[in-house]
Amino acid sequence: MRLDDPWCDALASGWSDRDGTGAPAPERPLATGDGPTAGPSAGDIYLEVQRSEAFQEVRARYRRFVVPACAAFLVWYLAYVVAATTAPGLMARPVAGAVNVAMVAGLAQFLTTFLLTWAYARHARLRRDRAALDLRWDTQEMTRAVGR
């Protein structure tokens, strides 16, 4: 049984599918019965799944978490770097003994990295994994039908 990789055969919508002039190429209809097998090819199935409402919802849930989380973490990191370079007096202020504000903020960078990783894994488990697994299962079933 030979499995073709549909990602090599078909590009995702909007990814380098140009008509030579720089404009997007017109969308092709799904292949129906032109070849020896009736029905769409595996590449067409993946494109159909990518355009589906369920796939778009999984991607939207991903973006709704990742974009704000990355922006917040980047702001926090840049604030630390800017404070370290522009306010050395503030960063050198002792907090407890030899521990100063810069050390506490640096350790807080590590802590927020771990917290963000935990939050991402929790979000994925609770909000996306089941829907993504269902999509994967459905896609595999559709491509298996094409391979028969």
Side-chain angles (χ1 to χ4, degrees), residues 115-128:
L115 286 173
L116 186 60
T117 303
W118 170 80
Y120 175 81
R122 182 176 186 274
H123 179 269
R125 186 181 70 247
L126 296 177
R127 311 261 172 152
R128 291 191 330 265

Side-chain angles (χ1 to χ4, degrees), residues 1-134:
M1 180 172 157
R2 183 173 165 255
L3 296 175
D4 291 326
D5 185 4
W7 297 114
C8 292
D9 297 337
L11 294 171
S13 175
W15 287 78
S16 301
D17 47 348
R18 305 292 178 185
D19 66 354
T21 64
E27 290 198 25
R28 295 177 291 149
L30 293 178
T32 50
D34 298 340
T37 61
S41 69
D44 293 333
I45 289 172
Y46 278 89
L47 286 173
E48 181 181 328
V49 168
Q50 181 188 6
R51 293 181 186 117
S52 73
E53 186 66 33
F55 182 84
Q56 296 304 321
E57 178 61 27
V58 170
R59 295 297 298 166
R61 288 178 185 175
Y62 172 78
R63 283 189 300 269
R64 280 193 300 262
F65 179 85
V66 168
V67 171
C70 286
F73 188 78
L74 183 62
V75 166
W76 162 228
Y77 174 74
L78 290 176
Y80 173 72
V81 171
V82 168
T85 57
T86 61
L90 169 70
M91 298 302 267
R93 185 171 295 163
V95 174
V99 177
N100 60 21
V101 172
M103 288 179 178
V104 171
L107 289 174
Q109 289 285 317
F110 286 103
L111 178 64
T112 55
T113 301
F114 291 122
L115 286 173
L116 186 60
T117 303
W118 170 80
Y120 175 81
R122 182 176 186 274
H123 179 269
R125 186 181 70 247
L126 296 177
R127 311 261 172 152
R128 291 191 330 265
D129 285 353
R130 175 58 58 194
L133 188 61
D134 290 343

